[in-house]
DNA sequence: TATTTTGCTTAACAATTTCGTAATGTTATT
DNA sequence: AATAACATTACGAAATTGTTAAGCAAAATA
């Protein structure tokens, strides 16, 4: 069943545990998939695209630590939450795991209420991150990477790709001056070569579309973003 | 025998399995019917009107995936729960199945206790679903993940599978921009390679069928779902 | 089984938007 | 005032998307 609670991938080599967890998650309304080893987990994660992965830390062949490293390499799983399942004994692994990018861990034996509580929290945070974490707010001005829009006093302003990227770069560090070279590198990349006036033209369009003065010229140096 | 436990249709091409499951279900107090292939399942489902269908994913001729699509189109089977029976090996089918609206799956070989436990959960959830309805609503627009249909102001609009999956993906996170690559990965999968115009054409059909502007193009980036 | 219908993809072309440049005007600094 | 750096404008090429029709495979129907 597709649900709006979220999608969870359960990974453990012990079938009983997987089924036990799976049962509880389903009942709680989550959409689930399962895997019984690291490789299977990696394959399924790509297709299933879970919001969260419950990953056993101790598995034969490829263990959880190795698995998580590979999972993290997949850009699509960037903001997938990974929670480790650990036996109480392996304390070292726990710490290792968190270092490697697990967001949390849950100790076995697993108590359903605790598990679900943790998941609810994690999911709530995920939603917040996805919707708000990708946006920068300066007073009435909002730059939303998630929606790829900019809005001023609630009005949506549509910027072209380059314009958006440029504004976004400047706004990422308000007050700081970006050299023209720097801007070229970060927005256009190292390979593309464009004339110097190109930047100006885009700056102009941004200023025009926004209607407010947030980009300041620093003559002979570059540009910076500044509110007021 | 009339029973208040619920009605279950068992579908598998292997007679032994059907009889084994059937025996266990009867014993547990369920009212059952059986079918040995997809077409028979579809016919019997219409007459028998089961609360739940146990459906083998691997069958000759019409397999479980095809069968489920047809079943879901039948309005009478709106909130019939479908549970897949899978051999542990067929992972792809499993995921496809979940995408297509199976509610759960049970791995063979089947253990009666596990089967019954799952059924109890599923039946309990049935009531919940009936109350909540399995759809996402945006104003006058309703996306029903069960029936694979969309309706606008009460009018039912039938989308093809790809169209539905595409709309559903975009609508799953309203406002958020999905990159073309992302769309390809999530709707078509990592293995399938299709031309770039393919997405556009599907987007076009969705826009055409819906008649309203809910999909916004973000040039050079992707598409997003937005009401108003 | 034969026939019709539907769904998916592609290719070709049209329409649109974006982007970069050149030409020219403006501003700040010396 | 002279000069260098930036602003503005308009235009055309390039990139991107929209649209249509057609071919093929799969599914539905008779």
């Amino acid at each position: 069943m597709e649900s709006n609670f979220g999608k969870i991938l359960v990974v453990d080599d012990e079938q009983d545990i997987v089924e036990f967890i799976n049962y509880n998650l389903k009942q709680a309304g989550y959409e689930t998939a399962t895997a019984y080893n690291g490789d299977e987990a990696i394959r399924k994660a790509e297709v299933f695209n879970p919001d969260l992965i419950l990953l056993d830390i101790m598995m034969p062949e490829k263990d959880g630590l190795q698995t998580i490293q590979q999972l993290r390499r997949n850009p699509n799983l960037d903001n997938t939450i990974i929670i480790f399942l650990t036996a109480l004994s392996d304390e070292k692994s726990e710490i290792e795991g968190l270092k490697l990018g697990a967001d949390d861990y849950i100790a076995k034996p697993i108590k359903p209420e605790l598990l679900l509580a943790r998941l609810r929290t994690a999911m709530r945070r995920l939603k917040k991150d996805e919707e708000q974490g990708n946006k920068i707010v300066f007073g009435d001005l909002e730059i939303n990477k998630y929606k790829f829009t900019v809005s001023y006093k609630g009005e949506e302003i549509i910027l072209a790709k380059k314009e958006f990227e440029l504004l976004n770069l400047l706004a990422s560090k308000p007050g700081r001056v970006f050299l023209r070279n720097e801007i070229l590198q970060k927005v256009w990349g190292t390979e593309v070569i464009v004339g110097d006036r190109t930047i100006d033209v885009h700056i102009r369009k941004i200023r025009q579309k926004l209607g407010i003065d947030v980009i300041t010229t620093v003559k002979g140096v570059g540009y910076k973003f500044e509110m007021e």
Side-chain angles (χ1 to χ4, degrees), chain A:
Chain A
M1 181 185 83
E2 182 84 22
S3 102
N4 39 15
F5 282 86
K7 299 196 286 184
I8 299 179
L9 175 64
V10 183
V11 189
D12 199 311
D13 58 308
E14 288 171 82
Q15 194 171 348
D16 291 348
I17 293 180
V18 171
E19 280 173 4
F20 173 71
I21 295 175
N22 195 35
Y23 171 88
N24 280 287
L25 296 184
K26 285 267 184 208
Q27 185 147 12
Y30 292 106
E31 186 183 353
T32 63
T34 59
Y36 294 91
N37 60 62
D39 290 316
E40 194 186 346
I42 289 162
R43 260 180 294 124
K44 287 205 176 176
E46 277 176 19
V47 185
F48 184 61
N49 225 287
D51 296 303
L52 190 149
I53 299 173
L54 281 173
L55 182 60
D56 185 24
I57 207 168
M58 293 287 280
M59 291 189 293
E61 298 177 36
K62 182 169 294 188
D63 71 14
L65 299 176
Q66 291 175 272
T67 306
I68 200 172
Q69 290 188 60
Q70 262 184 278
L71 286 170
R72 282 298 182 214
R73 286 204 199 111
N74 184 341
N76 279 325
L77 302 176
D78 245 16
N79 32 25
T80 298
I81 294 173
I82 298 177
I83 295 182
F84 264 137
L85 303 175
T86 68
L88 262 183
S89 52
D90 28 74
E91 289 161 25
K92 283 172 207 158
S93 310
E94 254 170 44
I95 296 164
E96 268 308 303
L98 289 173
K99 257 196 214 160
L100 280 170
D103 298 272
D104 201 350
Y105 61 90
I106 296 178
K108 293 180 184 178
I110 289 160
K111 293 178 202 156
E113 316 82 51
L114 179 64
L115 174 65
L116 292 173
R118 290 278 186 90
L119 293 182
R120 267 194 299 278
T121 313
M123 288 298 195
R124 212 177 309 135
R125 201 186 55 215
L126 177 66
K127 212 177 169 193
K128 230 187 200 167
D129 278 5
E130 281 194 341
E131 282 166 14
Q132 296 176 13
N134 277 326
K135 92 185 156 182
I136 317 175
V137 182
F138 303 97
D140 290 331
L141 186 73
E142 223 179 83
I143 300 173
N144 196 327
K145 278 194 255 182
Y146 181 85
K147 297 184 173 184
F148 215 86
T149 57
V150 174
S151 69
Y152 182 63
K153 293 189 177 170
E155 284 290 305
E156 262 202 2
I157 298 157
I158 296 169
L159 298 184
K161 194 177 163 203
K162 280 268 144 61
E163 289 157 23
F164 185 87
E165 285 174 351
L166 180 47
L167 175 61
N168 196 59
L169 172 66
L170 298 180
S172 70
K173 296 205 192 300
R176 146 147 198 235
V177 181
F178 286 84
L179 311 181
R180 293 178 92 90
N181 275 338
E182 222 180 333
I183 294 174
L184 284 175
Q185 279 218 359
K186 298 208 169 141
V187 176
W188 275 263
T190 43
E191 296 139 37
V192 189
I193 297 166
V194 290
D196 234 28
R197 293 279 68 62
T198 302
I199 295 179
D200 309 20
V201 174
H202 283 288
I203 293 279
R204 162 96 213 310
K205 289 221 95 179
I206 295 170
R207 283 171 171 162
Q208 190 177 278
K209 284 186 179 175
L210 293 192
I212 49 170
D213 227 19
V214 287
I215 297 175
T216 309
T217 306
V218 182
K219 218 164 169 158
V221 189
Y223 294 95
K224 66 180 169 180
F225 177 94
E226 251 174 350
M227 277 300 273
E228 283 141 322

